[in-house]
Amino acid sequence: MSVGLLSRALSALSVSRAVSPQIASVSGVSAALTGSRGFMTSACVCQNRSLWKQREKYTVRPIGMKKTGGRDYTGRIVTHGIGGGHKQRYRMIDFQRLRYEPGREDQPIVEKVVEVRYDPCRSADIALVAGGSRKRWIIATETMEAGDVIRSSSTIGRMAVLAKEGDSHPLGALPIGTLINNLELLPGKGAQYIRAAGTCGVLLRKVNGTAIVQLPSKHQIQVLETCVATVGRVSNVDHNKRIIGKAGRNRWLGIRPSSGLWQRKGGWAGRKIRRLPPIKSFVTPAQ
Amino acid sequence: MFNATVQRIRTPAFKITKNCKSKDCHSVLYMIPHGRRFLSTSSCLYGKFLPRKKPRVVHEIAGLEPITYADRMHFVPGLAKPRFPPWDRGWKDPSHYTSPKLEDMPLHKDKPCYMFNQRTNVLEGVRQALWLSKSVIIKGLPAQILALAEDPANQIENQDERVQDAIKNSRLWDTTEPRPPRERFCPSLLHRLLHLCDGLQVMRPELAKRILAEKYSLAATWRRGEDVFQVRGQNGLLLNSMTPVPVLAGEEQIQSTADQALETFYPIAPTIDLQRTHIYQEKNDTGFREGYPYPHAHTLFLMEMGNTPKLFPEQLRAKMVMFAFGNALARAQALYGKEPRVLEKPIVVQSVATNGRLFQFVVFQLNTTDLQSDSGVKNLVWVDEDQPLYGFAKVWPFIKKKVVKVPAGLSGYQPNTFKKFLALYLHGAA
């Protein structure tokens, strides 16, 4: 509609009266059929800001990041309290444990932990694991050390597997009561839940072809039993016990001070004691 | 995402105005990467551009021909964009050349090849290099070389003084800046030590039958199991000689290696960190032409200066072993042909690597080119690790709480390291 309005306005300004575009736009016929050319009213927004995260090929090398300062593409602050802080390099983490190397899909995934190190982009530590001819970063579990051998499997046997910390199995293969982390919601999608330092979920029960897991927030979710999760707690267990100590350390972490303006808190503030919400199911009825 | 790396390119002709400084107009741009135009001065100078968005995907429906405006010779809204066959210029214009897809390149092969080049940083270090070259390791240098090192007749006069002078020259007195960088003192020290060793030519004329070569490209191919491996690249300084290096291990030692098993490191495959490529040429080239007067590779000197890329001592020793093996294999294939066989006269190549202070010595003896299977006679490697030539060479003393911990100047000099260096140099001529 706006294109039609603009073209009408511009044709009104020109000397030669172009009758057909006016009639065409008034009667609502599309410009393509009547032969008037449209034009773009907005410039192409192609910015350099998010190009550092457009890399498709996986690499172990850390990638330089661009900080946003809480601002979006318009330049306005969308999230307050973000900005500054030490420069960080992003290490691409492989959240899908069951990723097979091309050419070795039939062999079980066995990997050796080469190094466990600090990651500036998250609270947990990360581990460099090497298996076959490839290396990748994964989220390290609590007692993972250099030299450990970890396995990832996709088989669900009749008997539950004796879960070793660091290994990853489908939920259907784990005994109930195991502590798990890096949980997938849909099989093959990659871990989205329970990735923060020191967290762990509990496998509560297995029903039909699904499993019910309690997340660290005490919420319970139901996922397919073929979803893969890693056994154990995430590394850096004492992360919540750390003391920042001074305002400067918060600034090093990229956290800007909050606004000092006193505001009356409304109904949203304060402790709430409510019952747990019902179990959220990520299993569609067709499955 | 980044199809082309950011490179510095030259100024285009149309941007050179009379207000430009002369340094901007060094040369005119006639190669625009990917046919894209740069619309600002800084992007012209630095070749940095935002990537073009991929064009809208037009799906072809089988059986339906799209009606295009090709015959009308102008754009008609509503009709499809005509797709013309790709135009062939007829001759090769270097500034408008698009390379073919990987599968269409002439050297493309289905079987991948794993390449070891001078930038490779193997994860498992020497163990991986031993598996790749089918060798067995012996810690310490062989007895003949140690005997050469201890023999007082092989010393240079005032050897310790002259070596310490050489170290002080390259580490302390080379520059007016506070301390010379490693890229400067490491090659400087190595060349001074080689010059010292060359001074013995007066006593031993056989030492004159050698030459140093730099920036030569090595290529060696072999098969291990079902995979093809290659060593390629410009590795370092090579000392060539007219006569081959004498064989170190006797026949019984060579045959006893057949009983030793190669070490594997499951779950890591031996091909990790090697460059995997489908486009390669199975080349075997010593780096020198036939008829070169110094055909036998004697010693390879590697310098580790931490720039391309920084190698830990274990990885540096692996690089030494692989390149010594590559040199030996290329020489064997030039002498005896490409047929895999057990050599009656094993080929010995030595290697010395340094980072300016620590020296690593490797002696590689190639006994067999039959590397397909894991069994049989194996090659021998003698490795002497982490020999410091000196402890510290500081310009300023290191003082902690008013106590001098490390004095200024050279401290912690070890004479044995240079004796081994000299012995490796004299081996074959003494």
Side-chain angles (χ1 to χ4, degrees), chain A:
Chain A
M1 191 197 85
S2 56
V3 171
L5 279 171
L6 270 168
S7 53
R8 256 184 292 154
L10 286 176
S11 62
L13 289 170
S14 64
V15 176
S16 59
R17 291 198 152 247
V19 182
S20 50
Q22 284 183 355
I23 295 173
S25 347
V26 162
S27 61
V29 178
S30 74
L33 288 179
T34 49
S36 69
R37 293 191 194 187
F39 48 86
M40 289 218 299
T41 50
S42 66
C44 172
V45 176
C46 181
Q47 293 165 331
N48 199 10
R49 33 179 298 124
S50 69
L51 287 176
W52 67 269
K53 34 181 167 173
Q54 302 305 325
R55 190 191 168 103
E56 287 110 17
K57 186 161 191 258
Y58 183 83
T59 178
V60 173
R61 282 177 48 238
I63 306 175
M65 267 169 49
K66 259 192 162 56
K67 288 187 190 269
T68 62
R71 282 134 174 106
D72 69 353
Y73 68 96
T74 56
R76 294 178 177 224
I77 296 181
V78 171
T79 311
H80 290 277
I82 300 180
H86 199 285
K87 246 191 180 158
Q88 295 173 345
R89 284 195 295 176
Y90 172 64
R91 284 148 181 94
M92 296 176 80
I93 310 279
D94 193 4
F95 288 109
Q96 192 179 339
R97 277 292 287 268
L98 265 190
R99 199 184 295 266
Y100 287 94
E101 212 184 334
R104 285 166 55 115
E105 282 92 358
D106 46 339
Q107 294 162 33
I109 304 179
V110 184
E111 284 160 323
K112 186 168 145 185
V113 175
V114 173
E115 183 197 4
V116 177
R117 63 158 287 161
Y118 171 81
D119 189 9
C121 305
R122 63 198 75 247
S123 54
D125 291 338
I126 51 174
L128 180 64
V129 300
S133 309
R134 67 146 184 215
K135 294 186 279 195
R136 54 186 184 153
W137 291 107
I138 61 167
I139 304 272
T141 56
E142 197 180 353
T143 53
M144 214 183 244
E145 275 165 8
D148 290 350
V149 174
I150 54 177
R151 271 162 221 279
S152 319
S153 87
S154 60
T155 44
I156 306 178
R158 211 169 47 85
M159 298 244 312
V161 177
L162 182 67
K164 215 180 91 174
E165 199 206 296
D167 292 349
S168 72
H169 298 274
L171 289 176
L174 293 171
I176 61 169
T178 42
L179 299 178
I180 55 170
N181 62 74
N182 288 67
L183 175 66
E184 282 184 339
L185 290 183
L186 301 171
K189 194 170 180 195
Q192 286 175 287
Y193 278 48
I194 322 176
R195 296 173 0 184
T199 49
C200 58
V202 182
L203 185 58
L204 291 177
R205 36 183 216 278
K206 292 191 259 189
V207 173
N208 291 354
T210 67
I212 296 187
V213 176
Q214 178 179 280
L215 300 178
S217 56
K218 310 283 189 304
H219 285 30
Q220 296 181 359
I221 55 170
Q222 182 181 33
V223 289
L224 281 176
E225 66 172 8
T226 45
C227 293
V228 161
T230 320
V231 177
R233 287 178 74 181
V234 182
S235 53
N236 203 6
V237 171
D238 295 327
H239 177 74
N240 57 349
K241 299 194 187 89
R242 65 172 180 169
I243 301 172
I244 302 287
K246 56 179 192 178
R249 189 162 279 119
N250 251 341
R251 298 305 299 267
W252 301 340
L253 298 170
I255 303 170
R256 278 181 49 221
S258 48
S259 138
L261 181 66
W262 181 86
Q263 314 239 6
R264 172 98 269 168
K265 293 199 205 291
W268 52 268
R271 186 177 174 189
K272 306 277 181 292
I273 300 173
R274 335 179 44 214
R275 70 174 79 98
L276 277 182
I279 297 180
K280 175 132 176 94
S281 176
F282 290 93
V283 174
T284 54
Q287 280 166 325

Side-chain angles (χ1 to χ4, degrees), chain B residues 391-413:
Chain B
F392 294 94
K394 286 193 148 331
V395 178
W396 291 100
F398 178 59
I399 298 175
K400 201 105 178 172
K401 290 193 188 173
K402 298 187 189 171
V403 172
V404 174
K405 301 278 182 190
V406 179
L410 185 63
S411 59
Y413 172 67

